[in-house]
Amino acid sequence: VSVPITESRWEKSIQKFEAADAENPPAEGSIVFVGSSSIVMWDTDAAFPGYGVINRGFGGSQTSDSLEFSDRIILKYKPRLVVIYAGDNDIAKGKSVETVVEDTQELFDVIHEDRRKTKIIYVAIKPSIARWNLVDTMREANVEIAAIAKKDRRITFLDIDTPSLGADGKPRKEL
């Protein structure tokens, strides 16, 4: 019995990146931003002018999606730095902390197997008003991912939880 191969729901997004690369090839050694809508909506060119950034975020994606397409959205650029924001959608879709941490570690490993010296900045899973009911799970994942980063000088864990909160301890509405 043959099972039909189904195309990933992200294939068209990845192909758009590849078409953009064919039109205007990015320089090797750039900074690659990857992850979900928080990366997509970040105007990385304006925020980091002159740094050679490549935004390869695709909204709604999970850590496992960045891992699946790592060769096409990260590794091919031979980046000097990779900035990752992921985990938010994973937890919202019911993935366990353990799965999120394992997928994140695997993504770190894939990047470092290809480019041993590449630095990684992992942007903490952010607290949000819409997903406030999941904040404890997200923070648990952040603690474990921060522990991974602490053991590897090539990985920086960027805590955005604390600065995202107002005096009431809840996410700041303006953010």
Side-chain angles (χ1 to χ4, degrees):
V1 176
S2 70
V3 177
I5 297 173
T6 57
E7 186 176 273
S8 167
R9 69 182 237 179
W10 302 114
E11 185 60 36
K12 286 185 173 68
S13 296
I14 304 306
Q15 288 176 0
K16 283 182 187 176
F17 295 148
E18 291 170 335
D21 291 348
E23 252 183 60
N24 187 16
E28 283 185 5
S30 296
I31 300 170
V32 176
F33 286 73
V34 65
S36 59
S37 61
S38 294
I39 295 294
V40 175
M41 295 186 293
W42 194 352
D43 187 350
T44 51
D45 287 331
F48 304 98
Y51 281 91
V53 299
I54 303 168
N55 189 319
R56 290 299 174 256
F58 42 117
S61 68
Q62 298 178 34
T63 309
S64 57
D65 298 316
S66 292
L67 184 58
E68 177 184 352
F69 293 105
S70 60
D71 57 331
R72 296 167 67 188
I73 63 170
I74 302 171
L75 304 179
K76 77 178 199 173
Y77 302 114
K78 296 182 171 63
R80 70 181 184 275
L81 172 65
V82 179
V83 180
I84 302 168
Y85 179 79
D88 192 333
N89 292 326
D90 310 51
I91 291 169
K93 293 289 186 186
K95 286 188 177 176
S96 68
V97 168
E98 180 180 66
T99 299
V100 173
V101 172
E102 286 172 0
D103 287 350
T104 302
Q105 177 69 69
E106 192 171 347
L107 183 57
F108 294 164
D109 291 346
V110 163
I111 293 167
H112 285 145
E113 283 168 15
D114 188 71
R115 308 283 300 166
R116 281 181 33 92
K117 294 182 179 180
T118 295
K119 303 281 188 199
I120 297 172
I121 296 175
Y122 181 88
V123 180
I125 302 170
K126 70 183 179 313
S128 68
I129 296 167
R131 294 182 173 166
W132 189 245
N133 62 315
L134 301 172
V135 72
D136 291 336
T137 306
M138 292 175 173
R139 286 177 173 160
E140 189 179 335
N142 281 337
V143 165
E144 292 195 32
I145 295 166
I148 292 168
K150 193 172 187 173
K151 295 177 192 168
D152 189 330
R153 61 178 178 74
R154 300 170 296 179
I155 304 170
T156 300
F157 179 85
L158 183 61
D159 176 21
I160 61 168
D161 187 333
T162 306
S164 299
L165 303 177
D168 63 355
K170 299 276 173 70
R172 293 174 26 210
K173 289 177 177 57
E174 73 272 17
L175 299 177

